[in-house]
Amino acid sequence: MTQELVMDANAYGLSQQTAEIMRRYNDVFQRHDPSALAELVADDCVIENTVPAPDGARHAGKEACVGLWTAIATQAGTRFDIEETFVAGDRATIRWRYFMTDGNSLRGVNLMRVADGRIVQAMGYVKG
């Protein structure tokens, strides 16, 4: 099933809401402060993580998703550089670079979806 989103005046308001949620989500990782996650994540959220390769692990439910993102956000000595966030309606693409404790880095993207003001889906992919 293919889904198409055509941007129009009605989608603009939804895009604005999604952009604000993504700004707050990205702030969690920039500030290493996961306190906002509980209000950003839906009860039925699903994450498809980047590891283990090639398909990653699936995390379902608010508790599992908040737990995973909390662990990532609070990892000492690491950081995310947000390179771009693109929003269209209820969807967002976040392009990032993750710096590990040893100084090495990798690039990736998260494909995000929002419903009723909360994150319901996140699919992570990395280069290489």
Side-chain angles (χ1 to χ4, degrees):
M1 174 178 176
T2 301
Q3 184 178 28
E4 293 181 359
L5 174 68
V6 177
M7 295 301 296
D8 61 16
N10 294 328
Y12 179 77
L14 182 56
S15 293
Q16 292 294 101
Q17 180 187 38
T18 300
E20 176 60 18
I21 292 165
M22 291 302 108
R23 184 195 60 75
R24 293 177 60 211
Y25 170 81
N26 286 334
D27 282 351
V28 164
F29 300 94
Q30 299 301 291
R31 297 179 180 159
H32 301 279
D33 178 5
S35 61
L37 287 172
E39 65 188 55
L40 293 174
V41 176
D43 290 339
D44 59 348
C45 184
V46 174
I47 297 172
E48 291 183 11
N49 199 12
T50 61
V51 293
D55 294 324
R58 180 180 169 90
H59 304 268
K62 182 175 188 164
E63 184 178 333
C65 294
V66 168
L68 175 65
W69 282 331
T70 295
I72 294 169
T74 59
Q75 180 70 37
T78 65
R79 80 171 200 272
F80 276 94
D81 285 352
I82 305 302
E83 296 180 335
E84 178 181 57
T85 301
F86 176 82
V87 174
D90 66 344
R91 310 234 175 211
T93 301
I94 304 168
R95 191 167 48 88
W96 46 262
R97 187 171 192 156
Y98 178 67
F99 290 86
M100 297 168 268
T101 57
D102 63 5
N104 289 319
S105 69
L106 57 95
R107 280 204 160 100
V109 297
N110 283 5
L111 305 178
M112 311 288 284
R113 189 167 62 84
V114 171
D116 299 320
R118 296 186 186 252
I119 299 166
V120 295
Q121 183 180 47
M123 299 169 62
Y125 299 91
V126 295
K127 287 182 76 167

